[in-house]
Amino acid sequence: MTATALPRRPRAGQVAALLLGLAALLAVFGLPLDFTWLSSAAEVRAAGERFGAFVFGLAAPDLSRDMLARCGRLLGDTVAIAVLGTAGGLLLAYPLAVASCRSVVLADAAGSRALPRRLVLELARLALDVLRGVPDFVWAVLLANVTGMNAVTGTLAIALSVGGILGKVLGEQWDNVAPQRYEALRSTGASPLQVFLYGIQPLGVRATTSFVLMRFECAVRNASVIGVVGGGGLGAAFADEFTDGDWRGVATVLLTLLVLTAGVDLAANVLRRRLRAEPDGSRRGRSFDLVRTQRRRRQVGFAVAAVLAASAWWLAAPFAQAARTLAGIEWGFVRSYTLGMFAPSLSPTTWLAVVAAAGVPLAIGCLATLGGGALAALGVYPASLTFQLDAARFTGERAGRAVRSWRALQLVVARGTALLLRGIPEVAWLFVLAVLMRDGPLPCVAAIALHSAGVLHRVFTEATDDVAHARLERVGAGRAATFAYGALPAAVAQWRTYLFFQFEVNVRAGVALGVVGAGGLGQAFRHNLAFREHADAAAFLWGMVLLTIAIDRLSRRLQLRRLRC
C-alpha cells in the first residue's frame, strides 16, 4: 500500500486557527461565566429541580385545539415573514452585490475612471457591512418604535439583515468565478455590465441559488423567534408561554419549530434537486435533457411566485395596519430618531464602554464556534452516507443486512440529532438553558454552540460526502482509516472555511442574544434606547457594525472566504 501524502495546510489557515484559539483562551478568562449553579450541592439540587420541572412539562405538550390553532396561525406568520423577508433582502442585496463585485466595477477601470469606481465599490461594501453588522433582532428593536410590534417589523428586520449577508456572499461568489471562463465574452468588446449579465452571473447561478436557499432556511429560524422582541410569528408565543412558566405550552411551540425546520429542510432539498442541470435519472446513465431541465425550472419559478403571493396575502392585514399607523405618525420624530442613529456620542467614556461591551459577543463567538465545531466534527462519521451506506464502493467489503441496518440507524440518529440542534434557534436554546444555568453569558455560549453544531454538522457532512470515491480508493484501508487519511484531509480545508464563516455568524448571534439579556453590545444598546439616550445607543449600534467590519476584513486578509455554498 502506498502512503498518501497529506496536503500542506495554508499558512493563512494556520494563522487564523492560532488567532481563534488564542481568542478562545482569552475568552475563558475574560468572560464573566457564572457557575454558581454548580457551586454547591444545594445549588445543583435546585437547578436539577428547575430543569426537571421544565423537562416534565416538555414531555406532555399542550395539544388542545386552541393551542394548536394558535401555533398553526403563528406558523403561517413565521413562514410568510421569512419568505417576504428573504425576497426583500434579495432585492436589496442584488444591486449592492453587483456594485461590490471587483470583477464588474473595476474590470476596465483605468485612468480617471479608477477613483470613482473604487469609491462606488467601497461605498457598496460599507452599506453591506452596515446591513450585515446590525443583527435582525436589533433591526427589529429599532423598527418597532416606528412600525409597531408586529409581523411587518419582523419582515423588514429579516430583509435588512438578509440583504447584507446575501450582498456580501453573492459579490464574493461572482468574484470567485475564474476570469478565463468569460474572457472570450470580454474580448468581444462587451461592457462590464454585459459581461456580468451574460458571463459571470450564469456561471455562478448554481452557487447563488444554493446560498439563497440556505439563507431562506436561516430566515425561517430567525423569523420563528424574532417575535421575542416584537417581530411577530412563533417567537411571540414562545416568549409568552415561557414568561408564564407554562412549560407544556413551551413544548408545543418548540415542537412546532422543529416541524417547521424539518419541512423547510425537505422543501429546500427538493428545490435543489429540481434546479440541478442533470435529470433525476442521470446516475443510471440517462443523458442530459435540456427541455426537461427547463420545464422543471419553470415549475420551480411558478411555485416560488405562488408562495410569494400567498405570503403577501397572509400578511395583508398586518401590512394594512402598519400602513395606517405610518399614515398617522409624527414624521418629525421619525426623522430625528433616524438621524440620531447616525450621530453617535463622541465621549471617550462611551466608546471605552463600547470596546468593553464588544468583547462579550467576540468572546461568546470564539467559545461557541470551537464548541459547536467540535460537536459537529464528532458526528460527521456516523452521519456520512459515504461511510455508512456506500463504503463497499471503495473498501470492497461485503457487509451483511444486520450491519447495514445498524449503520443506517447510526446515520438516522446522527442526522436527526443535528436537525434537532439546528432546528431550535439560538434564542430558544438560550431560554431553555437559562432554566438550568440562570441568566448571563454561559447559557448564551452553550445555546449558540448547540445551534452551531447542528448547522456545521450539515455542511461538514456534505463536504465529506463530496470527496470523490476514486480518492478514497487510493487509501486502500478500512472505513475508519479511509475516513481519517482520505476523506478528512480532503475536506478539512472546507471545514475550516465553514468554521470561520460560522464564527462571524456567531459573533452576530452573541450581539443579538445580548438584546434579550446576555450582556454586551446588544444589552447596552437596548438599555440606552429604552431610556432615550439616543447618542449612546447609536455608539453601541456603530460598535456592532465596526466589529463586523473588523472580522470581515481580517477574514479577507487571511483569505478565509466561503468559496462553496
Side-chain angles (χ1 to χ4, degrees):
M1 181 180 70
T2 304
T4 303
L6 297 180
R8 294 185 63 187
R9 296 181 63 194
R11 183 175 180 81
Q14 294 176 345
V15 173
L18 179 63
L19 288 176
L20 185 56
L22 180 61
L25 184 63
L26 293 174
V28 171
F29 292 100
L31 202 62
L33 301 176
D34 184 3
F35 290 97
T36 54
W37 59 287
L38 294 174
S39 60
S40 66
E43 289 287 348
V44 171
R45 186 167 55 253
E49 290 174 355
R50 291 195 307 270
F51 202 68
F54 176 70
V55 172
F56 181 78
L58 293 183
D62 183 357
L63 300 180
S64 65
R65 179 178 298 179
D66 290 343
M67 188 63 187
L68 293 177
R70 183 188 181 195
C71 286
R73 184 177 67 256
L74 293 176
L75 184 146
D77 289 351
T78 298
V79 173
I81 289 169
V83 169
L84 296 180
T86 303
L90 184 59
L91 290 175
L92 178 63
Y94 198 86
L96 289 173
V98 174
S100 70
C101 182
R102 293 177 60 90
S103 301
V104 177
V105 179
L106 302 181
D108 58 353
S112 60
R113 292 183 297 181
L115 183 59
R117 290 196 179 188
R118 167 61 71 175
L119 182 61
V120 168
L121 182 79
E122 294 302 330
L123 287 176
R125 288 184 174 180
L126 177 61
L128 291 172
D129 287 334
V130 172
L131 293 173
R132 190 176 75 258
V134 180
D136 44 23
F137 262 47
V138 179
W139 280 121
V141 172
L142 281 169
L143 293 168
N145 287 323
V146 179
T147 56
M149 300 178 69
N150 50 48
V152 176
T153 296
T155 302
L156 294 176
I158 295 288
L160 291 170
S161 180
V162 167
I165 296 170
L166 281 180
K168 173 184 181 288
V169 175
L170 295 185
E172 289 186 357
Q173 286 178 345
W174 293 332
D175 272 334
N176 286 330
V177 176
Q180 297 84 351
R181 301 180 67 186
Y182 55 84
E183 191 62 37
L185 182 60
R186 194 186 298 280
S187 65
T188 64
S191 68
L193 185 58
Q194 289 173 325
V195 172
F196 168 74
L197 292 175
Y198 302 108
I200 298 174
Q201 182 181 246
L203 291 170
V205 69
R206 184 168 182 173
T208 298
T209 302
S210 179
F211 192 79
V212 170
L213 286 173
M214 191 188 83
R215 285 316 308 174
F216 171 66
E217 295 173 46
C218 295
V220 169
R221 289 193 292 269
N222 293 351
S224 65
V225 292
I226 204 169
V228 171
V229 291
L234 286 166
F238 182 83
D240 290 344
E241 301 300 328
F242 191 92
T243 302
D244 294 341
D246 184 358
W247 304 139
R248 296 185 63 204
V250 170
T252 306
V253 178
L254 287 177
L255 286 174
T256 307
L257 287 175
L258 289 174
V259 170
L260 176 59
T261 300
V264 170
D265 274 6
L266 178 62
N269 288 332
V270 170
L271 280 178
R272 287 188 181 94
R273 285 195 295 271
R274 299 295 293 178
L275 289 171
R276 283 175 183 165
E278 302 85 10
D280 294 339
S282 59
R283 292 185 179 181
R284 296 189 295 271
R286 294 176 58 177
S287 60
F288 174 72
D289 187 342
L290 178 60
V291 175
R292 182 178 178 180
T293 299
Q294 291 177 336
R295 182 173 65 250
R296 291 204 315 270
R297 289 176 177 174
R298 284 195 298 269
Q299 291 171 352
V300 170
F302 287 137
V304 170
V307 171
L308 282 170
S311 299
W313 172 81
W314 185 270
L315 294 183
F319 271 94
Q321 179 60 42
R324 289 191 293 270
T325 301
L326 292 174
I329 203 168
E330 176 55 52
W331 287 103
F333 162 76
V334 175
R335 185 167 54 253
S336 62
Y337 175 72
T338 304
L339 293 177
M341 293 298 103
F342 289 92
S345 170
L346 300 179
S347 167
T349 303
T350 300
W351 280 98
L352 285 174
V354 170
V355 172
V360 174
L362 193 60
I364 288 172
C366 288
L367 295 177
T369 302
L370 290 176
L375 286 174
L378 290 174
V380 170
Y381 182 74
S384 170
L385 282 169
T386 298
F387 288 92
Q388 297 304 324
L389 301 184
D390 296 337
R393 297 186 180 184
F394 53 86
T395 62
E397 66 175 9
R398 294 183 178 275
R401 180 174 298 179
V403 173
R404 289 182 58 83
S405 298
W406 169 243
R407 292 177 182 176
L409 178 62
Q410 291 181 64
L411 185 144
V412 170
V413 170
R415 294 199 171 199
T417 302
L419 176 63
L420 173 66
L421 293 176
R422 70 174 179 270
I424 299 178
E426 298 98 326
V427 178
W429 276 120
L430 175 63
F431 277 62
V432 170
L433 293 172
V435 175
L436 178 66
M437 305 177 185
R438 299 297 190 185
D439 295 333
L442 182 60
C444 182
V445 171
I448 299 177
L450 290 174
H451 183 77
S452 297
V455 174
L456 289 172
H457 180 271
R458 177 176 177 174
V459 293
F460 282 5
T461 305
E462 288 177 355
T464 303
D465 284 340
D466 283 344
V467 177
H469 287 176
R471 179 165 185 165
L472 301 179
E473 289 171 355
R474 292 198 296 268
V475 178
R479 288 190 308 140
T482 302
F483 176 79
Y485 298 108
L488 191 57
V492 72
Q494 291 187 44
W495 284 24
R496 187 175 61 248
T497 303
Y498 282 118
L499 191 69
F500 278 90
F501 182 83
Q502 189 64 34
F503 168 66
E504 183 181 340
V505 173
N506 287 346
V507 171
R508 288 199 303 272
V511 174
L513 295 190
V515 175
V516 291
L521 286 170
Q523 187 173 33
F525 165 77
R526 191 172 191 183
H527 173 81
N528 283 279
L529 193 65
F531 285 92
R532 299 187 179 277
E533 297 171 352
H534 289 171
D536 288 345
F540 286 100
L541 184 67
W542 280 102
M544 302 174 198
V545 175
L546 292 174
L547 181 61
T548 299
I549 292 174
I551 295 173
D552 176 67
R553 298 305 184 266
L554 180 61
S555 68
R556 289 177 186 269
R557 180 71 176 174
L558 296 173
Q559 298 179 351
L560 292 169
R561 299 180 185 179
R562 193 169 189 267
L563 304 181
R564 179 181 175 278
C565 299

